[in-house]
Amino acid sequence: MYMYKDLGFRPIEREDLDALKELHNDQSTFLNLATIHMVDDDDQEAWWEIQKSKKGDERYSLIRQNTDKEELIGRLRIVNIDNANRNCEVGLDILPHLRGQGLGKKSYYMVLEYLFMHQNMNMVYLKAADYNPEAIGLYEKVGFRHTGYLKDFLYRHGKYWNYLIMCITKDEYLS
Ligand SMILES: CC(C)(COP(=O)(O)OP(=O)(O)OC[C@H]1O[C@@H](n2cnc3c(N)ncnc32)[C@H](O)[C@@H]1OP(=O)(O)O)[C@@H](O)C(=O)NCCC(=O)NCCS
């Protein structure tokens, strides 16, 4: 487990799958992702098996370490890992009942420390729908900058929306 204060992330274990399925199937989660689809137990199990052998695409469980036990708080993806150019894409989702308590922000500080200080990444990017102010506000706060967008990329709530692209370089992170 990679630890940052009381938070950490580790490979997804079988006992996490139910909670991660519920997180994914909550509309407050899947409507904010690039593709809308819900999963059943079989889909979730198959996805977990495939993830283990995928290259350049890593999925983790986000954990809060309480005094004597660990609590699953969300999921983390580090994907499109490009080891030649030292960049990757990140994203994370927090369980609905734990949102708004600073866990997303602390998780991003953890992930950026891991990627820049240990994995020697040079640039980290993410994408956010422009109808998701909670996520955009969080990304700006932890240091991501708006660098572009995919116009009319997502159809939600009866219209097309831009998919914002946000980046942070190692130099920006260190300053
Ligand atoms: C986006 C998400 C990861 C944020 O995690 P979180 O734990 O709720 O966020 P935090 O409590 O750490 O909030 C961090 C910042 O986000 C912003 N924020 C949080 N809730 C907000 C709200 N309701 N409105 C506007 N900004 C908000 C604030 O800038 C906040 O900073 P502050 O605490 O200094 O005010 C989480 O809400 C989530 O999983 N959402 C559903 C799925 C999703 O949208 N995933 C991202 C796809 S790009």
mmCIF file of all heavy atoms in Angstrom, residues 28-29 32-33 77 92-94 98-106 127-128 132-135 137-139 141, ligand 1:
data_model
loop_
_atom_site.group_PDB
_atom_site.id
_atom_site.type_symbol
_atom_site.label_atom_id
_atom_site.label_comp_id
_atom_site.label_asym_id
_atom_site.label_seq_id
_atom_site.Cartn_x
_atom_site.Cartn_y
_atom_site.Cartn_z
ATOM 1 N N SER A 28 -24.413 9.501 -9.852
ATOM 2 C CA SER A 28 -23.533 10.648 -9.601
ATOM 3 C C SER A 28 -22.099 10.323 -10.004
ATOM 4 O O SER A 28 -21.272 11.220 -10.159
ATOM 5 C CB SER A 28 -23.578 11.056 -8.123
ATOM 6 O OG SER A 28 -23.003 10.050 -7.317
ATOM 7 N N THR A 29 -21.786 9.037 -10.171
ATOM 8 C CA THR A 29 -20.463 8.648 -10.669
ATOM 9 C C THR A 29 -20.510 8.469 -12.184
ATOM 10 O O THR A 29 -19.824 9.171 -12.927
ATOM 11 C CB THR A 29 -19.988 7.333 -10.019
ATOM 12 O OG1 THR A 29 -20.025 7.469 -8.599
ATOM 13 C CG2 THR A 29 -18.566 7.002 -10.464
ATOM 14 N N ASN A 32 -20.642 11.187 -14.819
ATOM 15 C CA ASN A 32 -19.472 12.056 -14.929
ATOM 16 C C ASN A 32 -18.306 11.388 -15.652
ATOM 17 O O ASN A 32 -17.230 11.974 -15.762
ATOM 18 C CB ASN A 32 -19.017 12.497 -13.537
ATOM 19 C CG ASN A 32 -19.944 13.556 -12.972
ATOM 20 O OD1 ASN A 32 -20.268 14.514 -13.674
ATOM 21 N ND2 ASN A 32 -20.401 13.375 -11.752
ATOM 22 N N LEU A 33 -18.503 10.161 -16.113
ATOM 23 C CA LEU A 33 -17.433 9.456 -16.822
ATOM 24 C C LEU A 33 -17.659 9.549 -18.336
ATOM 25 O O LEU A 33 -18.734 9.948 -18.797
ATOM 26 C CB LEU A 33 -17.400 7.988 -16.372
ATOM 27 C CG LEU A 33 -17.249 7.789 -14.851
ATOM 28 C CD1 LEU A 33 -17.287 6.311 -14.508
ATOM 29 C CD2 LEU A 33 -15.962 8.436 -14.341
ATOM 30 N N ARG A 77 -7.642 5.520 -10.903
ATOM 31 C CA ARG A 77 -7.105 4.965 -12.148
ATOM 32 C C ARG A 77 -5.900 5.793 -12.596
ATOM 33 O O ARG A 77 -5.929 7.030 -12.581
ATOM 34 C CB ARG A 77 -8.173 4.915 -13.245
ATOM 35 C CG ARG A 77 -9.015 6.145 -13.349
ATOM 36 C CD ARG A 77 -10.271 5.944 -14.197
ATOM 37 N NE ARG A 77 -11.066 7.165 -14.126
ATOM 38 C CZ ARG A 77 -11.952 7.428 -13.147
ATOM 39 N NH1 ARG A 77 -12.161 6.545 -12.186
ATOM 40 N NH2 ARG A 77 -12.606 8.573 -13.120
ATOM 41 N N LEU A 92 -10.082 9.722 -10.298
ATOM 42 C CA LEU A 92 -10.510 8.984 -9.101
ATOM 43 C C LEU A 92 -11.936 9.369 -8.746
ATOM 44 O O LEU A 92 -12.425 10.449 -9.086
ATOM 45 C CB LEU A 92 -9.542 9.191 -7.934
ATOM 46 C CG LEU A 92 -9.306 10.594 -7.355
ATOM 47 C CD1 LEU A 92 -10.358 10.950 -6.307
ATOM 48 C CD2 LEU A 92 -7.924 10.656 -6.700
ATOM 49 N N ASP A 93 -12.589 8.449 -8.070
ATOM 50 C CA ASP A 93 -13.961 8.659 -7.615
ATOM 51 C C ASP A 93 -14.043 8.277 -6.146
ATOM 52 O O ASP A 93 -13.488 7.256 -5.726
ATOM 53 C CB ASP A 93 -14.942 7.780 -8.410
ATOM 54 C CG ASP A 93 -14.762 7.957 -9.917
ATOM 55 O OD1 ASP A 93 -14.895 9.086 -10.392
ATOM 56 O OD2 ASP A 93 -14.452 6.950 -10.591
ATOM 57 N N ILE A 94 -14.747 9.107 -5.385
ATOM 58 C CA ILE A 94 -14.924 8.879 -3.944
ATOM 59 C C ILE A 94 -16.337 8.337 -3.712
ATOM 60 O O ILE A 94 -17.289 8.757 -4.401
ATOM 61 C CB ILE A 94 -14.728 10.213 -3.175
ATOM 62 C CG1 ILE A 94 -13.311 10.782 -3.424
ATOM 63 C CG2 ILE A 94 -14.984 10.053 -1.680
ATOM 64 C CD1 ILE A 94 -12.164 9.986 -2.867
ATOM 65 N N LEU A 98 -19.059 9.815 1.228
ATOM 66 C CA LEU A 98 -17.817 10.367 1.797
ATOM 67 C C LEU A 98 -17.338 11.621 1.052
ATOM 68 O O LEU A 98 -16.272 12.156 1.354
ATOM 69 C CB LEU A 98 -16.710 9.306 1.767
ATOM 70 C CG LEU A 98 -16.948 8.067 2.638
ATOM 71 C CD1 LEU A 98 -15.848 7.023 2.410
ATOM 72 C CD2 LEU A 98 -17.005 8.453 4.118
ATOM 73 N N ARG A 99 -18.140 12.090 0.084
ATOM 74 C CA ARG A 99 -17.711 13.257 -0.699
ATOM 75 C C ARG A 99 -17.853 14.556 0.115
ATOM 76 O O ARG A 99 -18.629 14.608 1.061
ATOM 77 C CB ARG A 99 -18.534 13.356 -1.994
ATOM 78 C CG ARG A 99 -18.191 12.241 -2.946
ATOM 79 C CD ARG A 99 -19.069 12.246 -4.178
ATOM 80 N NE ARG A 99 -18.895 10.968 -4.892
ATOM 81 C CZ ARG A 99 -19.732 10.470 -5.780
ATOM 82 N NH1 ARG A 99 -20.807 11.151 -6.118
ATOM 83 N NH2 ARG A 99 -19.485 9.310 -6.347
ATOM 84 N N GLY A 100 -17.091 15.560 -0.307
ATOM 85 C CA GLY A 100 -17.194 16.872 0.332
ATOM 86 C C GLY A 100 -16.499 16.972 1.671
ATOM 87 O O GLY A 100 -16.716 17.907 2.431
ATOM 88 N N GLN A 101 -15.634 16.006 1.977
ATOM 89 C CA GLN A 101 -14.922 16.019 3.263
ATOM 90 C C GLN A 101 -13.420 16.200 3.079
ATOM 91 O O GLN A 101 -12.647 15.970 4.007
ATOM 92 C CB GLN A 101 -15.162 14.698 4.013
ATOM 93 C CG GLN A 101 -16.609 14.394 4.301
ATOM 94 C CD GLN A 101 -16.793 12.997 4.913
ATOM 95 O OE1 GLN A 101 -15.877 12.421 5.488
ATOM 96 N NE2 GLN A 101 -17.991 12.463 4.787
ATOM 97 N N GLY A 102 -13.011 16.528 1.871
ATOM 98 C CA GLY A 102 -11.578 16.747 1.636
ATOM 99 C C GLY A 102 -10.819 15.494 1.213
ATOM 100 O O GLY A 102 -9.596 15.544 1.013
ATOM 101 N N LEU A 103 -11.521 14.360 1.059
ATOM 102 C CA LEU A 103 -10.811 13.121 0.717
ATOM 103 C C LEU A 103 -10.305 13.131 -0.719
ATOM 104 O O LEU A 103 -9.224 12.605 -1.016
ATOM 105 C CB LEU A 103 -11.717 11.906 0.946
ATOM 106 C CG LEU A 103 -12.037 11.616 2.415
ATOM 107 C CD1 LEU A 103 -13.095 10.521 2.534
ATOM 108 C CD2 LEU A 103 -10.764 11.207 3.166
ATOM 109 N N GLY A 104 -11.089 13.743 -1.630
ATOM 110 C CA GLY A 104 -10.656 13.818 -3.021
ATOM 111 C C GLY A 104 -9.376 14.648 -3.128
ATOM 112 O O GLY A 104 -8.416 14.250 -3.790
ATOM 113 N N LYS A 105 -9.365 15.781 -2.443
ATOM 114 C CA LYS A 105 -8.197 16.662 -2.505
ATOM 115 C C LYS A 105 -6.952 15.962 -1.948
ATOM 116 O O LYS A 105 -5.896 15.950 -2.584
ATOM 117 C CB LYS A 105 -8.497 17.941 -1.712
ATOM 118 C CG LYS A 105 -7.494 19.036 -1.941
ATOM 119 C CD LYS A 105 -8.050 20.408 -1.621
ATOM 120 C CE LYS A 105 -8.417 20.579 -0.165
ATOM 121 N NZ LYS A 105 -8.842 21.953 0.157
ATOM 122 N N LYS A 106 -7.112 15.341 -0.784
ATOM 123 C CA LYS A 106 -5.967 14.658 -0.172
ATOM 124 C C LYS A 106 -5.506 13.492 -1.057
ATOM 125 O O LYS A 106 -4.308 13.225 -1.190
ATOM 126 C CB LYS A 106 -6.352 14.143 1.225
ATOM 127 C CG LYS A 106 -5.163 14.064 2.186
ATOM 128 C CD LYS A 106 -5.503 13.227 3.396
ATOM 129 C CE LYS A 106 -5.897 14.051 4.580
ATOM 130 N NZ LYS A 106 -6.028 13.215 5.819
ATOM 131 N N LYS A 127 -9.177 14.504 -17.553
ATOM 132 C CA LYS A 127 -10.268 15.096 -18.332
ATOM 133 C C LYS A 127 -11.488 15.239 -17.423
ATOM 134 O O LYS A 127 -11.732 14.378 -16.567
ATOM 135 C CB LYS A 127 -10.604 14.231 -19.551
ATOM 136 C CG LYS A 127 -9.417 14.025 -20.493
ATOM 137 C CD LYS A 127 -9.838 13.641 -21.882
ATOM 138 C CE LYS A 127 -9.816 12.201 -22.275
ATOM 139 N NZ LYS A 127 -8.857 11.255 -21.867
ATOM 140 N N ALA A 128 -12.220 16.325 -17.615
ATOM 141 C CA ALA A 128 -13.403 16.555 -16.774
ATOM 142 C C ALA A 128 -14.497 17.182 -17.626
ATOM 143 O O ALA A 128 -14.235 18.075 -18.433
ATOM 144 C CB ALA A 128 -13.054 17.501 -15.621
ATOM 145 N N ASN A 132 -19.260 19.553 -14.473
ATOM 146 C CA ASN A 132 -18.864 18.936 -13.198
ATOM 147 C C ASN A 132 -18.015 19.913 -12.367
ATOM 148 O O ASN A 132 -16.807 19.730 -12.222
ATOM 149 C CB ASN A 132 -18.088 17.644 -13.505
ATOM 150 C CG ASN A 132 -17.873 16.774 -12.272
ATOM 151 O OD1 ASN A 132 -18.172 17.188 -11.151
ATOM 152 N ND2 ASN A 132 -17.355 15.580 -12.474
ATOM 153 N N PRO A 133 -18.646 20.977 -11.828
ATOM 154 C CA PRO A 133 -17.853 22.011 -11.135
ATOM 155 C C PRO A 133 -17.131 21.500 -9.885
ATOM 156 O O PRO A 133 -16.061 22.019 -9.544
ATOM 157 C CB PRO A 133 -18.903 23.066 -10.760
ATOM 158 C CG PRO A 133 -20.205 22.356 -10.778
ATOM 159 C CD PRO A 133 -20.077 21.275 -11.825
ATOM 160 N N GLU A 134 -17.692 20.484 -9.229
ATOM 161 C CA GLU A 134 -17.019 19.939 -8.042
ATOM 162 C C GLU A 134 -15.639 19.422 -8.432
ATOM 163 O O GLU A 134 -14.630 19.725 -7.789
ATOM 164 C CB GLU A 134 -17.808 18.776 -7.413
ATOM 165 C CG GLU A 134 -19.134 19.149 -6.798
ATOM 166 C CD GLU A 134 -20.282 19.111 -7.810
ATOM 167 O OE1 GLU A 134 -20.019 19.018 -9.031
ATOM 168 O OE2 GLU A 134 -21.440 19.200 -7.373
ATOM 169 N N ALA A 135 -15.608 18.636 -9.514
ATOM 170 C CA ALA A 135 -14.340 18.046 -9.936
ATOM 171 C C ALA A 135 -13.388 19.126 -10.460
ATOM 172 O O ALA A 135 -12.211 19.155 -10.084
ATOM 173 C CB ALA A 135 -14.592 16.995 -11.016
ATOM 174 N N GLY A 137 -13.229 22.330 -9.778
ATOM 175 C CA GLY A 137 -12.729 23.139 -8.652
ATOM 176 C C GLY A 137 -11.631 22.406 -7.898
ATOM 177 O O GLY A 137 -10.609 22.999 -7.511
ATOM 178 N N LEU A 138 -11.826 21.131 -7.718
ATOM 179 C CA LEU A 138 -10.817 20.321 -7.020
ATOM 180 C C LEU A 138 -9.512 20.275 -7.825
ATOM 181 O O LEU A 138 -8.418 20.498 -7.277
ATOM 182 C CB LEU A 138 -11.381 18.906 -6.824
ATOM 183 C CG LEU A 138 -10.416 17.783 -6.482
ATOM 184 C CD1 LEU A 138 -9.710 18.061 -5.166
ATOM 185 C CD2 LEU A 138 -11.157 16.458 -6.381
ATOM 186 N N TYR A 139 -9.603 20.038 -9.130
ATOM 187 C CA TYR A 139 -8.390 19.908 -9.941
ATOM 188 C C TYR A 139 -7.611 21.222 -9.976
ATOM 189 O O TYR A 139 -6.382 21.215 -9.933
ATOM 190 C CB TYR A 139 -8.742 19.463 -11.371
ATOM 191 C CG TYR A 139 -9.547 18.174 -11.434
ATOM 192 C CD1 TYR A 139 -10.440 17.932 -12.470
ATOM 193 C CD2 TYR A 139 -9.421 17.207 -10.441
ATOM 194 C CE1 TYR A 139 -11.179 16.760 -12.521
ATOM 195 C CE2 TYR A 139 -10.167 16.034 -10.482
ATOM 196 C CZ TYR A 139 -11.054 15.825 -11.514
ATOM 197 O OH TYR A 139 -11.794 14.677 -11.557
ATOM 198 N N LYS A 141 -7.612 23.432 -7.647
ATOM 199 C CA LYS A 141 -7.045 23.618 -6.305
ATOM 200 C C LYS A 141 -5.761 22.821 -6.100
ATOM 201 O O LYS A 141 -4.838 23.270 -5.433
ATOM 202 C CB LYS A 141 -8.090 23.197 -5.267
ATOM 203 C CG LYS A 141 -8.040 24.003 -4.003
ATOM 204 C CD LYS A 141 -9.374 23.976 -3.291
ATOM 205 C CE LYS A 141 -10.123 25.269 -3.545
ATOM 206 N NZ LYS A 141 -11.401 25.347 -2.847
HETATM 207 C C1 LIG B 1 -15.036 14.819 -7.793
HETATM 208 C C2 LIG B 1 -14.748 14.065 -6.505
HETATM 209 C C3 LIG B 1 -13.634 13.053 -6.750
HETATM 210 C C4 LIG B 1 -14.283 15.078 -5.454
HETATM 211 O O1 LIG B 1 -13.964 14.388 -4.257
HETATM 212 P P1 LIG B 1 -14.445 14.984 -2.837
HETATM 213 O O2 LIG B 1 -13.829 14.153 -1.775
HETATM 214 O O3 LIG B 1 -15.904 15.119 -2.859
HETATM 215 O O4 LIG B 1 -13.750 16.432 -2.896
HETATM 216 P P2 LIG B 1 -13.182 17.261 -1.668
HETATM 217 O O5 LIG B 1 -14.111 17.146 -0.510
HETATM 218 O O6 LIG B 1 -11.760 16.887 -1.467
HETATM 219 O O7 LIG B 1 -13.279 18.726 -2.235
HETATM 220 C C5 LIG B 1 -12.154 19.322 -2.821
HETATM 221 C C6 LIG B 1 -12.537 20.575 -3.558
HETATM 222 O O8 LIG B 1 -13.505 20.268 -4.557
HETATM 223 C C7 LIG B 1 -14.364 21.371 -4.708
HETATM 224 N N1 LIG B 1 -15.715 20.991 -4.356
HETATM 225 C C8 LIG B 1 -16.128 19.936 -3.593
HETATM 226 N N2 LIG B 1 -17.466 19.878 -3.538
HETATM 227 C C9 LIG B 1 -17.899 20.933 -4.272
HETATM 228 C C10 LIG B 1 -19.181 21.427 -4.627
HETATM 229 N N3 LIG B 1 -20.301 20.822 -4.202
HETATM 230 N N4 LIG B 1 -19.257 22.511 -5.447
HETATM 231 C C11 LIG B 1 -18.123 23.130 -5.904
HETATM 232 N N5 LIG B 1 -16.878 22.693 -5.593
HETATM 233 C C12 LIG B 1 -16.779 21.637 -4.794
HETATM 234 C C13 LIG B 1 -13.895 22.436 -3.773
HETATM 235 O O9 LIG B 1 -12.993 23.243 -4.487
HETATM 236 C C14 LIG B 1 -13.178 21.648 -2.720
HETATM 237 O O10 LIG B 1 -12.161 22.373 -2.099
HETATM 238 P P3 LIG B 1 -12.398 22.955 -0.597
HETATM 239 O O11 LIG B 1 -12.638 21.741 0.266
HETATM 240 O O12 LIG B 1 -11.092 23.612 -0.274
HETATM 241 O O13 LIG B 1 -13.574 23.871 -0.683
HETATM 242 C C15 LIG B 1 -16.007 13.365 -5.956
HETATM 243 O O14 LIG B 1 -17.006 14.332 -5.725
HETATM 244 C C16 LIG B 1 -16.563 12.293 -6.862
HETATM 245 O O15 LIG B 1 -16.136 11.139 -6.792
HETATM 246 N N6 LIG B 1 -17.555 12.673 -7.698
HETATM 247 C C17 LIG B 1 -18.303 11.752 -8.559
HETATM 248 C C18 LIG B 1 -17.500 11.177 -9.707
HETATM 249 C C19 LIG B 1 -16.689 12.212 -10.451
HETATM 250 O O16 LIG B 1 -17.172 13.296 -10.760
HETATM 251 N N7 LIG B 1 -15.436 11.847 -10.729
HETATM 252 C C20 LIG B 1 -14.525 12.694 -11.436
HETATM 253 C C21 LIG B 1 -14.715 12.541 -12.885
HETATM 254 S S1 LIG B 1 -13.712 13.704 -13.789
#
